[in-house]
Amino acid sequence: MSSNIPKMKCLIVDDEPLARFHLKELADQIDFLSVEGTCATALEADAKVKESEIDLIFLDINMPYLNGIDFLEQLENPPLCIFTTSYSEYALEGFRLQVVDYLLKPIAFNRFYQAVNKAQQQFIISEKLKKNTSLDDPFLYVRQSDTFIKVSWVDILYIESMQNYTKLHFKDKSLIIHQTMKAIEESLPSEHFFRIHKSFLINIIHIDMISGGRLYINKTELPISRTRKEELLNQVVYKKLISK
C-alpha cells in the first residue's frame, strides 16, 4: 500500500458477540485496515459514525431496534459498506444501496480479503480525487450513453440525488448521470461543495440566500437538513459574515 494512502478506519456492527470477534480477528490480519470500534446495535453505530471519521462499515442486517438496511439508508453521507449476514435474500438491497460487497456467514478469510480489497480500491480512488481536483483543474467529464460531455464544476449550481442517478443543475441546462451522490461528492472539491441534505449537494459559490431551513440558488429553493444547518453556517457563512 502506498504510504500516501492512509489506513481505512473501519467499524464492525453486529448484534452477535462471536460475529464481532470473528470480523475483528479477520480485519486485524489486514495491514490497511484499522478497527476503530465494534457495536452491538445500529443505534450505537449511528452515534459512532457521527462522532468519528469512519471509512468502512462491516454491517450486519438483522439486528434489534434498527436493522442494517434502514440504518444505512438514513445516513446522510454513508461510509463504504460491506454487508455481513446469514441471509442471501437481501443481496438486491445491497446492490440498490451500492455496498462494496455482500458477505454470507460464516465468512471465510479469502472472501473477506476479496471484499476489503475492493473497498480499498474505491477508497484510494476517492482519496486521489480529493487531492487532485482544484481550481487549476476545473473540468470533469460526464457520460451520457456513449457520449462524454466536458463540464466545469465551477458552473454546477447544485446536484440532486435520484437514487442511483444524480442530476447536475446548471443555469441553462441539467444533466442526469448514472452515478451515486457519494461518488460525485468525492470527485468534487470539498472546499467548494457542501452537502446540505441527503438529496442535495450545493456549490457554495452560487448561494444567493439562506433563510431558516431553506437555501436559494438561482431562484430555486432547496431544503437544509437540521443536522447540516449549523455546520453550513460555521463553515460557509460565519467565515464571511461582515455584519453581526
Side-chain angles (χ1 to χ4, degrees):
M1 182 179 66
S2 168
S3 59
N4 294 326
I5 303 296
K7 284 191 173 188
M8 298 181 70
K9 297 176 182 177
C10 58
L11 185 67
I12 295 165
V13 187
D14 199 303
D15 62 328
E16 299 173 10
L18 285 177
R20 294 196 300 274
F21 176 83
H22 180 58
L23 283 167
K24 186 177 186 307
E25 194 173 43
L26 294 177
D28 285 343
Q29 308 308 308
I30 311 296
D31 62 359
F32 57 80
L33 294 181
S34 171
V35 178
E36 299 298 301
T38 64
C39 300
T41 68
L43 294 173
E44 186 184 343
D46 189 50
K48 186 77 173 176
V49 168
K50 287 173 180 173
E51 71 185 22
S52 309
E53 188 174 322
I54 300 296
D55 303 307
L56 174 65
I57 305 178
F58 296 99
L59 184 61
D60 188 22
I61 293 176
N62 283 333
M63 291 184 290
Y65 308 115
L66 182 68
N67 69 45
I69 291 170
D70 291 340
F71 163 62
L72 192 62
E73 281 189 313
Q74 62 84 36
L75 289 175
E76 288 199 355
N77 190 21
L80 294 170
C81 177
I82 295 173
F83 275 147
T84 58
T85 178
S86 301
Y87 304 92
S88 60
E89 62 263 32
Y90 297 109
L92 190 60
E93 287 294 292
F95 177 77
R96 180 177 67 81
L97 292 169
Q98 302 238 317
V99 299
V100 175
D101 210 334
Y102 190 97
L103 299 180
L104 284 173
K105 299 174 183 177
I107 299 167
F109 181 78
N110 66 320
R111 274 293 291 123
F112 181 85
Y113 188 64
Q114 288 173 1
V116 296
N117 269 287
K118 284 201 293 185
Q120 193 207 24
Q121 290 306 309
Q122 292 188 31
F123 179 68
I124 288 172
I125 290 168
S126 69
E127 287 295 303
K128 287 182 176 178
L129 285 169
K130 286 176 191 175
K131 292 177 182 177
N132 294 339
T133 307
S134 69
L135 281 166
D136 297 327
D137 181 22
F139 297 109
L140 302 165
Y141 284 88
V142 296
R143 186 170 191 161
Q144 300 275 279
S145 187
D146 59 349
T147 302
F148 297 90
I149 302 172
K150 184 179 180 181
V151 300
S152 168
W153 62 257
V154 178
D155 296 328
I156 299 172
L157 302 180
Y158 64 95
I159 299 164
E160 181 180 0
S161 174
M162 303 168 69
Q163 291 190 333
N164 290 334
Y165 292 84
T166 50
K167 190 173 186 178
L168 278 57
H169 293 267
F170 300 85
K171 282 188 177 179
D172 56 352
K173 64 181 178 181
S174 61
L175 295 171
I176 296 176
I177 60 174
H178 184 57
Q179 187 59 277
T180 63
M181 179 71 94
K182 180 176 173 61
I184 289 287
E185 185 173 7
E186 289 174 347
S187 68
L188 292 167
S190 59
E191 65 269 28
H192 292 283
F193 284 83
F194 190 92
R195 188 79 163 265
I196 62 167
H197 186 277
K198 186 176 182 180
S199 300
F200 293 102
L201 176 69
I202 59 109
N203 189 339
I204 65 173
I205 296 170
H206 298 291
I207 295 173
D208 294 322
M209 182 173 68
I210 299 169
S211 178
R214 299 284 164 174
L215 180 146
Y216 297 83
I217 293 179
N218 196 36
K219 298 180 181 178
T220 301
E221 180 183 298
L222 302 173
I224 308 170
S225 72
R226 284 180 296 174
T227 57
R228 300 296 287 160
K229 183 180 176 182
E230 191 63 32
E231 194 172 347
L232 174 68
L233 294 174
N234 287 330
Q235 290 190 14
V236 179
V237 178
Y238 294 153
K239 289 181 179 180
K240 295 182 179 290
L241 188 65
I242 60 172
S243 61
K244 303 297 182 184

mmCIF file with all atom_site columns, all heavy atoms in Angstrom, residues 81-101:
data_model
loop_
_atom_site.group_PDB
_atom_site.id
_atom_site.type_symbol
_atom_site.label_atom_id
_atom_site.label_alt_id
_atom_site.label_comp_id
_atom_site.label_asym_id
_atom_site.label_entity_id
_atom_site.label_seq_id
_atom_site.pdbx_PDB_ins_code
_atom_site.Cartn_x
_atom_site.Cartn_y
_atom_site.Cartn_z
_atom_site.occupancy
_atom_site.B_iso_or_equiv
_atom_site.pdbx_formal_charge
_atom_site.auth_seq_id
_atom_site.auth_comp_id
_atom_site.auth_asym_id
_atom_site.auth_atom_id
_atom_site.pdbx_PDB_model_num
ATOM 1   N N   . CYS A 1 81  ? -19.458 0.422   2.652  1.00 0.00 ? 81  CYS A N   1
ATOM 2   C CA  . CYS A 1 81  ? -20.121 -0.585  3.485  1.00 0.00 ? 81  CYS A CA  1
ATOM 3   C C   . CYS A 1 81  ? -19.990 -1.978  2.874  1.00 0.00 ? 81  CYS A C   1
ATOM 4   O O   . CYS A 1 81  ? -20.126 -2.157  1.662  1.00 0.00 ? 81  CYS A O   1
ATOM 5   C CB  . CYS A 1 81  ? -21.600 -0.223  3.651  1.00 0.00 ? 81  CYS A CB  1
ATOM 6   S SG  . CYS A 1 81  ? -22.547 -1.435  4.603  1.00 0.00 ? 81  CYS A SG  1
ATOM 7   N N   . ILE A 1 82  ? -19.714 -2.947  3.727  1.00 0.00 ? 82  ILE A N   1
ATOM 8   C CA  . ILE A 1 82  ? -19.746 -4.366  3.359  1.00 0.00 ? 82  ILE A CA  1
ATOM 9   C C   . ILE A 1 82  ? -20.785 -5.033  4.257  1.00 0.00 ? 82  ILE A C   1
ATOM 10  O O   . ILE A 1 82  ? -20.662 -5.008  5.487  1.00 0.00 ? 82  ILE A O   1
ATOM 11  C CB  . ILE A 1 82  ? -18.365 -5.033  3.551  1.00 0.00 ? 82  ILE A CB  1
ATOM 12  C CG1 . ILE A 1 82  ? -17.335 -4.426  2.587  1.00 0.00 ? 82  ILE A CG1 1
ATOM 13  C CG2 . ILE A 1 82  ? -18.473 -6.547  3.342  1.00 0.00 ? 82  ILE A CG2 1
ATOM 14  C CD1 . ILE A 1 82  ? -15.917 -4.898  2.822  1.00 0.00 ? 82  ILE A CD1 1
ATOM 15  N N   . PHE A 1 83  ? -21.846 -5.577  3.653  1.00 0.00 ? 83  PHE A N   1
ATOM 16  C CA  . PHE A 1 83  ? -22.852 -6.286  4.432  1.00 0.00 ? 83  PHE A CA  1
ATOM 17  C C   . PHE A 1 83  ? -22.297 -7.644  4.871  1.00 0.00 ? 83  PHE A C   1
ATOM 18  O O   . PHE A 1 83  ? -21.667 -8.356  4.083  1.00 0.00 ? 83  PHE A O   1
ATOM 19  C CB  . PHE A 1 83  ? -24.119 -6.504  3.609  1.00 0.00 ? 83  PHE A CB  1
ATOM 20  C CG  . PHE A 1 83  ? -25.090 -5.350  3.633  1.00 0.00 ? 83  PHE A CG  1
ATOM 21  C CD1 . PHE A 1 83  ? -25.870 -5.064  2.522  1.00 0.00 ? 83  PHE A CD1 1
ATOM 22  C CD2 . PHE A 1 83  ? -25.246 -4.564  4.762  1.00 0.00 ? 83  PHE A CD2 1
ATOM 23  C CE1 . PHE A 1 83  ? -26.774 -4.007  2.536  1.00 0.00 ? 83  PHE A CE1 1
ATOM 24  C CE2 . PHE A 1 83  ? -26.151 -3.508  4.798  1.00 0.00 ? 83  PHE A CE2 1
ATOM 25  C CZ  . PHE A 1 83  ? -26.907 -3.226  3.674  1.00 0.00 ? 83  PHE A CZ  1
ATOM 26  N N   . THR A 1 84  ? -22.541 -8.001  6.121  1.00 0.00 ? 84  THR A N   1
ATOM 27  C CA  . THR A 1 84  ? -22.157 -9.320  6.651  1.00 0.00 ? 84  THR A CA  1
ATOM 28  C C   . THR A 1 84  ? -23.413 -9.932  7.252  1.00 0.00 ? 84  THR A C   1
ATOM 29  O O   . THR A 1 84  ? -23.925 -9.437  8.251  1.00 0.00 ? 84  THR A O   1
ATOM 30  C CB  . THR A 1 84  ? -21.056 -9.178  7.717  1.00 0.00 ? 84  THR A CB  1
ATOM 31  O OG1 . THR A 1 84  ? -21.525 -8.335  8.772  1.00 0.00 ? 84  THR A OG1 1
ATOM 32  C CG2 . THR A 1 84  ? -19.797 -8.569  7.120  1.00 0.00 ? 84  THR A CG2 1
ATOM 33  N N   . THR A 1 85  ? -23.930 -10.990 6.640  1.00 0.00 ? 85  THR A N   1
ATOM 34  C CA  . THR A 1 85  ? -25.238 -11.500 7.049  1.00 0.00 ? 85  THR A CA  1
ATOM 35  C C   . THR A 1 85  ? -25.347 -13.006 6.820  1.00 0.00 ? 85  THR A C   1
ATOM 36  O O   . THR A 1 85  ? -24.565 -13.585 6.055  1.00 0.00 ? 85  THR A O   1
ATOM 37  C CB  . THR A 1 85  ? -26.353 -10.772 6.258  1.00 0.00 ? 85  THR A CB  1
ATOM 38  O OG1 . THR A 1 85  ? -27.627 -11.303 6.634  1.00 0.00 ? 85  THR A OG1 1
ATOM 39  C CG2 . THR A 1 85  ? -26.165 -10.924 4.764  1.00 0.00 ? 85  THR A CG2 1
ATOM 40  N N   . SER A 1 86  ? -26.311 -13.598 7.476  1.00 0.00 ? 86  SER A N   1
ATOM 41  C CA  . SER A 1 86  ? -26.594 -15.029 7.284  1.00 0.00 ? 86  SER A CA  1
ATOM 42  C C   . SER A 1 86  ? -27.652 -15.264 6.219  1.00 0.00 ? 86  SER A C   1
ATOM 43  O O   . SER A 1 86  ? -27.984 -16.399 5.902  1.00 0.00 ? 86  SER A O   1
ATOM 44  C CB  . SER A 1 86  ? -27.077 -15.652 8.606  1.00 0.00 ? 86  SER A CB  1
ATOM 45  O OG  . SER A 1 86  ? -26.112 -15.504 9.612  1.00 0.00 ? 86  SER A OG  1
ATOM 46  N N   . TYR A 1 87  ? -28.193 -14.166 5.644  1.00 0.00 ? 87  TYR A N   1
ATOM 47  C CA  . TYR A 1 87  ? -29.347 -14.279 4.752  1.00 0.00 ? 87  TYR A CA  1
ATOM 48  C C   . TYR A 1 87  ? -29.020 -13.737 3.355  1.00 0.00 ? 87  TYR A C   1
ATOM 49  O O   . TYR A 1 87  ? -28.646 -12.579 3.201  1.00 0.00 ? 87  TYR A O   1
ATOM 50  C CB  . TYR A 1 87  ? -30.543 -13.520 5.342  1.00 0.00 ? 87  TYR A CB  1
ATOM 51  C CG  . TYR A 1 87  ? -30.904 -13.991 6.733  1.00 0.00 ? 87  TYR A CG  1
ATOM 52  C CD1 . TYR A 1 87  ? -30.360 -13.363 7.851  1.00 0.00 ? 87  TYR A CD1 1
ATOM 53  C CD2 . TYR A 1 87  ? -31.756 -15.074 6.920  1.00 0.00 ? 87  TYR A CD2 1
ATOM 54  C CE1 . TYR A 1 87  ? -30.671 -13.800 9.130  1.00 0.00 ? 87  TYR A CE1 1
ATOM 55  C CE2 . TYR A 1 87  ? -32.072 -15.518 8.196  1.00 0.00 ? 87  TYR A CE2 1
ATOM 56  C CZ  . TYR A 1 87  ? -31.530 -14.887 9.301  1.00 0.00 ? 87  TYR A CZ  1
ATOM 57  O OH  . TYR A 1 87  ? -31.835 -15.333 10.563 1.00 0.00 ? 87  TYR A OH  1
ATOM 58  N N   . SER A 1 88  ? -29.219 -14.594 2.363  1.00 0.00 ? 88  SER A N   1
ATOM 59  C CA  . SER A 1 88  ? -28.883 -14.207 0.982  1.00 0.00 ? 88  SER A CA  1
ATOM 60  C C   . SER A 1 88  ? -29.967 -13.346 0.335  1.00 0.00 ? 88  SER A C   1
ATOM 61  O O   . SER A 1 88  ? -29.710 -12.683 -0.667 1.00 0.00 ? 88  SER A O   1
ATOM 62  C CB  . SER A 1 88  ? -28.667 -15.464 0.127  1.00 0.00 ? 88  SER A CB  1
ATOM 63  O OG  . SER A 1 88  ? -29.845 -16.259 0.103  1.00 0.00 ? 88  SER A OG  1
ATOM 64  N N   . GLU A 1 89  ? -31.175 -13.309 0.915  1.00 0.00 ? 89  GLU A N   1
ATOM 65  C CA  . GLU A 1 89  ? -32.290 -12.632 0.232  1.00 0.00 ? 89  GLU A CA  1
ATOM 66  C C   . GLU A 1 89  ? -32.170 -11.106 0.221  1.00 0.00 ? 89  GLU A C   1
ATOM 67  O O   . GLU A 1 89  ? -32.950 -10.428 -0.443 1.00 0.00 ? 89  GLU A O   1
ATOM 68  C CB  . GLU A 1 89  ? -33.641 -13.040 0.842  1.00 0.00 ? 89  GLU A CB  1
ATOM 69  C CG  . GLU A 1 89  ? -33.818 -12.678 2.303  1.00 0.00 ? 89  GLU A CG  1
ATOM 70  C CD  . GLU A 1 89  ? -33.493 -13.847 3.230  1.00 0.00 ? 89  GLU A CD  1
ATOM 71  O OE1 . GLU A 1 89  ? -32.622 -14.658 2.880  1.00 0.00 ? 89  GLU A OE1 1
ATOM 72  O OE2 . GLU A 1 89  ? -34.118 -13.927 4.292  1.00 0.00 ? 89  GLU A OE2 1
ATOM 73  N N   . TYR A 1 90  ? -31.207 -10.561 0.949  1.00 0.00 ? 90  TYR A N   1
ATOM 74  C CA  . TYR A 1 90  ? -31.048 -9.104  0.970  1.00 0.00 ? 90  TYR A CA  1
ATOM 75  C C   . TYR A 1 90  ? -30.025 -8.609  -0.054 1.00 0.00 ? 90  TYR A C   1
ATOM 76  O O   . TYR A 1 90  ? -29.676 -7.427  -0.066 1.00 0.00 ? 90  TYR A O   1
ATOM 77  C CB  . TYR A 1 90  ? -30.625 -8.632  2.363  1.00 0.00 ? 90  TYR A CB  1
ATOM 78  C CG  . TYR A 1 90  ? -31.643 -8.899  3.436  1.00 0.00 ? 90  TYR A CG  1
ATOM 79  C CD1 . TYR A 1 90  ? -31.411 -9.871  4.413  1.00 0.00 ? 90  TYR A CD1 1
ATOM 80  C CD2 . TYR A 1 90  ? -32.836 -8.190  3.486  1.00 0.00 ? 90  TYR A CD2 1
ATOM 81  C CE1 . TYR A 1 90  ? -32.340 -10.116 5.411  1.00 0.00 ? 90  TYR A CE1 1
ATOM 82  C CE2 . TYR A 1 90  ? -33.787 -8.431  4.472  1.00 0.00 ? 90  TYR A CE2 1
ATOM 83  C CZ  . TYR A 1 90  ? -33.525 -9.396  5.432  1.00 0.00 ? 90  TYR A CZ  1
ATOM 84  O OH  . TYR A 1 90  ? -34.455 -9.644  6.412  1.00 0.00 ? 90  TYR A OH  1
ATOM 85  N N   . ALA A 1 91  ? -29.540 -9.499  -0.905 1.00 0.00 ? 91  ALA A N   1
ATOM 86  C CA  . ALA A 1 91  ? -28.498 -9.119  -1.867 1.00 0.00 ? 91  ALA A CA  1
ATOM 87  C C   . ALA A 1 91  ? -28.952 -7.996  -2.788 1.00 0.00 ? 91  ALA A C   1
ATOM 88  O O   . ALA A 1 91  ? -28.180 -7.099  -3.135 1.00 0.00 ? 91  ALA A O   1
ATOM 89  C CB  . ALA A 1 91  ? -28.062 -10.340 -2.682 1.00 0.00 ? 91  ALA A CB  1
ATOM 90  N N   . LEU A 1 92  ? -30.228 -8.021  -3.192 1.00 0.00 ? 92  LEU A N   1
ATOM 91  C CA  . LEU A 1 92  ? -30.745 -6.972  -4.081 1.00 0.00 ? 92  LEU A CA  1
ATOM 92  C C   . LEU A 1 92  ? -30.733 -5.611  -3.384 1.00 0.00 ? 92  LEU A C   1
ATOM 93  O O   . LEU A 1 92  ? -30.424 -4.585  -3.995 1.00 0.00 ? 92  LEU A O   1
ATOM 94  C CB  . LEU A 1 92  ? -32.167 -7.313  -4.528 1.00 0.00 ? 92  LEU A CB  1
ATOM 95  C CG  . LEU A 1 92  ? -32.756 -6.444  -5.640 1.00 0.00 ? 92  LEU A CG  1
ATOM 96  C CD1 . LEU A 1 92  ? -31.910 -6.527  -6.904 1.00 0.00 ? 92  LEU A CD1 1
ATOM 97  C CD2 . LEU A 1 92  ? -34.189 -6.850  -5.948 1.00 0.00 ? 92  LEU A CD2 1
ATOM 98  N N   . GLU A 1 93  ? -31.052 -5.609  -2.083 1.00 0.00 ? 93  GLU A N   1
ATOM 99  C CA  . GLU A 1 93  ? -30.986 -4.367  -1.311 1.00 0.00 ? 93  GLU A CA  1
ATOM 100 C C   . GLU A 1 93  ? -29.549 -3.849  -1.254 1.00 0.00 ? 93  GLU A C   1
ATOM 101 O O   . GLU A 1 93  ? -29.304 -2.642  -1.328 1.00 0.00 ? 93  GLU A O   1
ATOM 102 C CB  . GLU A 1 93  ? -31.504 -4.594  0.113  1.00 0.00 ? 93  GLU A CB  1
ATOM 103 C CG  . GLU A 1 93  ? -32.992 -4.762  0.200  1.00 0.00 ? 93  GLU A CG  1
ATOM 104 C CD  . GLU A 1 93  ? -33.736 -3.495  -0.185 1.00 0.00 ? 93  GLU A CD  1
ATOM 105 O OE1 . GLU A 1 93  ? -33.659 -2.509  0.553  1.00 0.00 ? 93  GLU A OE1 1
ATOM 106 O OE2 . GLU A 1 93  ? -34.379 -3.504  -1.248 1.00 0.00 ? 93  GLU A OE2 1
ATOM 107 N N   . GLY A 1 94  ? -28.617 -4.772  -1.123 1.00 0.00 ? 94  GLY A N   1
ATOM 108 C CA  . GLY A 1 94  ? -27.209 -4.377  -1.115 1.00 0.00 ? 94  GLY A CA  1
ATOM 109 C C   . GLY A 1 94  ? -26.800 -3.735  -2.424 1.00 0.00 ? 94  GLY A C   1
ATOM 110 O O   . GLY A 1 94  ? -26.085 -2.725  -2.445 1.00 0.00 ? 94  GLY A O   1
ATOM 111 N N   . PHE A 1 95  ? -27.284 -4.282  -3.530 1.00 0.00 ? 95  PHE A N   1
ATOM 112 C CA  . PHE A 1 95  ? -26.994 -3.707  -4.846 1.00 0.00 ? 95  PHE A CA  1
ATOM 113 C C   . PHE A 1 95  ? -27.609 -2.320  -4.965 1.00 0.00 ? 95  PHE A C   1
ATOM 114 O O   . PHE A 1 95  ? -26.973 -1.376  -5.437 1.00 0.00 ? 95  PHE A O   1
ATOM 115 C CB  . PHE A 1 95  ? -27.542 -4.626  -5.941 1.00 0.00 ? 95  PHE A CB  1
ATOM 116 C CG  . PHE A 1 95  ? -27.363 -4.096  -7.335 1.00 0.00 ? 95  PHE A CG  1
ATOM 117 C CD1 . PHE A 1 95  ? -26.134 -4.166  -7.969 1.00 0.00 ? 95  PHE A CD1 1
ATOM 118 C CD2 . PHE A 1 95  ? -28.428 -3.503  -8.009 1.00 0.00 ? 95  PHE A CD2 1
ATOM 119 C CE1 . PHE A 1 95  ? -25.969 -3.661  -9.255 1.00 0.00 ? 95  PHE A CE1 1
ATOM 120 C CE2 . PHE A 1 95  ? -28.276 -2.999  -9.290 1.00 0.00 ? 95  PHE A CE2 1
ATOM 121 C CZ  . PHE A 1 95  ? -27.033 -3.088  -9.917 1.00 0.00 ? 95  PHE A CZ  1
ATOM 122 N N   . ARG A 1 96  ? -28.839 -2.173  -4.499 1.00 0.00 ? 96  ARG A N   1
ATOM 123 C CA  . ARG A 1 96  ? -29.529 -0.879  -4.579 1.00 0.00 ? 96  ARG A CA  1
ATOM 124 C C   . ARG A 1 96  ? -28.800 0.190   -3.770 1.00 0.00 ? 96  ARG A C   1
ATOM 125 O O   . ARG A 1 96  ? -28.711 1.351   -4.188 1.00 0.00 ? 96  ARG A O   1
ATOM 126 C CB  . ARG A 1 96  ? -30.961 -1.026  -4.057 1.00 0.00 ? 96  ARG A CB  1
ATOM 127 C CG  . ARG A 1 96  ? -31.774 0.261   -4.080 1.00 0.00 ? 96  ARG A CG  1
ATOM 128 C CD  . ARG A 1 96  ? -33.193 0.033   -3.614 1.00 0.00 ? 96  ARG A CD  1
ATOM 129 N NE  . ARG A 1 96  ? -33.280 -0.314  -2.210 1.00 0.00 ? 96  ARG A NE  1
ATOM 130 C CZ  . ARG A 1 96  ? -33.245 0.584   -1.211 1.00 0.00 ? 96  ARG A CZ  1
ATOM 131 N NH1 . ARG A 1 96  ? -33.102 1.865   -1.490 1.00 0.00 ? 96  ARG A NH1 1
ATOM 132 N NH2 . ARG A 1 96  ? -33.351 0.196   0.041  1.00 0.00 ? 96  ARG A NH2 1
ATOM 133 N N   . LEU A 1 97  ? -28.260 -0.210  -2.626 1.00 0.00 ? 97  LEU A N   1
ATOM 134 C CA  . LEU A 1 97  ? -27.566 0.740   -1.757 1.00 0.00 ? 97  LEU A CA  1
ATOM 135 C C   . LEU A 1 97  ? -26.094 0.901   -2.128 1.00 0.00 ? 97  LEU A C   1
ATOM 136 O O   . LEU A 1 97  ? -25.362 1.623   -1.466 1.00 0.00 ? 97  LEU A O   1
ATOM 137 C CB  . LEU A 1 97  ? -27.689 0.288   -0.298 1.00 0.00 ? 97  LEU A CB  1
ATOM 138 C CG  . LEU A 1 97  ? -29.101 0.363   0.288  1.00 0.00 ? 97  LEU A CG  1
ATOM 139 C CD1 . LEU A 1 97  ? -29.168 -0.346  1.628  1.00 0.00 ? 97  LEU A CD1 1
ATOM 140 C CD2 . LEU A 1 97  ? -29.541 1.812   0.440  1.00 0.00 ? 97  LEU A CD2 1
ATOM 141 N N   . GLN A 1 98  ? -25.677 0.197   -3.189 1.00 0.00 ? 98  GLN A N   1
ATOM 142 C CA  . GLN A 1 98  ? -24.312 0.300   -3.713 1.00 0.00 ? 98  GLN A CA  1
ATOM 143 C C   . GLN A 1 98  ? -23.255 -0.031  -2.661 1.00 0.00 ? 98  GLN A C   1
ATOM 144 O O   . GLN A 1 98  ? -22.238 0.660   -2.522 1.00 0.00 ? 98  GLN A O   1
ATOM 145 C CB  . GLN A 1 98  ? -24.076 1.704   -4.276 1.00 0.00 ? 98  GLN A CB  1
ATOM 146 C CG  . GLN A 1 98  ? -25.042 2.087   -5.371 1.00 0.00 ? 98  GLN A CG  1
ATOM 147 C CD  . GLN A 1 98  ? -24.370 2.449   -6.682 1.00 0.00 ? 98  GLN A CD  1
ATOM 148 O OE1 . GLN A 1 98  ? -23.382 3.136   -6.713 1.00 0.00 ? 98  GLN A OE1 1
ATOM 149 N NE2 . GLN A 1 98  ? -24.915 1.994   -7.780 1.00 0.00 ? 98  GLN A NE2 1
ATOM 150 N N   . VAL A 1 99  ? -23.509 -1.105  -1.892 1.00 0.00 ? 99  VAL A N   1
ATOM 151 C CA  . VAL A 1 99  ? -22.491 -1.537  -0.940 1.00 0.00 ? 99  VAL A CA  1
ATOM 152 C C   . VAL A 1 99  ? -21.328 -2.168  -1.708 1.00 0.00 ? 99  VAL A C   1
ATOM 153 O O   . VAL A 1 99  ? -21.479 -2.614  -2.849 1.00 0.00 ? 99  VAL A O   1
ATOM 154 C CB  . VAL A 1 99  ? -23.066 -2.536  0.095  1.00 0.00 ? 99  VAL A CB  1
ATOM 155 C CG1 . VAL A 1 99  ? -24.184 -1.899  0.897  1.00 0.00 ? 99  VAL A CG1 1
ATOM 156 C CG2 . VAL A 1 99  ? -23.530 -3.824  -0.554 1.00 0.00 ? 99  VAL A CG2 1
ATOM 157 N N   . VAL A 1 100 ? -20.166 -2.201  -1.080 1.00 0.00 ? 100 VAL A N   1
ATOM 158 C CA  . VAL A 1 100 ? -18.958 -2.719  -1.733 1.00 0.00 ? 100 VAL A CA  1
ATOM 159 C C   . VAL A 1 100 ? -19.083 -4.212  -2.006 1.00 0.00 ? 100 VAL A C   1
ATOM 160 O O   . VAL A 1 100 ? -18.741 -4.696  -3.085 1.00 0.00 ? 100 VAL A O   1
ATOM 161 C CB  . VAL A 1 100 ? -17.719 -2.451  -0.849 1.00 0.00 ? 100 VAL A CB  1
ATOM 162 C CG1 . VAL A 1 100 ? -16.474 -3.092  -1.456 1.00 0.00 ? 100 VAL A CG1 1
ATOM 163 C CG2 . VAL A 1 100 ? -17.510 -0.956  -0.672 1.00 0.00 ? 100 VAL A CG2 1
ATOM 164 N N   . ASP A 1 101 ? -19.583 -4.955  -1.014 1.00 0.00 ? 101 ASP A N   1
ATOM 165 C CA  . ASP A 1 101 ? -19.701 -6.409  -1.165 1.00 0.00 ? 101 ASP A CA  1
ATOM 166 C C   . ASP A 1 101 ? -20.735 -6.930  -0.181 1.00 0.00 ? 101 ASP A C   1
ATOM 167 O O   . ASP A 1 101 ? -21.197 -6.208  0.706  1.00 0.00 ? 101 ASP A O   1
ATOM 168 C CB  . ASP A 1 101 ? -18.347 -7.083  -0.931 1.00 0.00 ? 101 ASP A CB  1
ATOM 169 C CG  . ASP A 1 101 ? -18.192 -8.376  -1.732 1.00 0.00 ? 101 ASP A CG  1
ATOM 170 O OD1 . ASP A 1 101 ? -19.221 -9.015  -2.058 1.00 0.00 ? 101 ASP A OD1 1
ATOM 171 O OD2 . ASP A 1 101 ? -17.046 -8.758  -2.041 1.00 0.00 ? 101 ASP A OD2 1
#
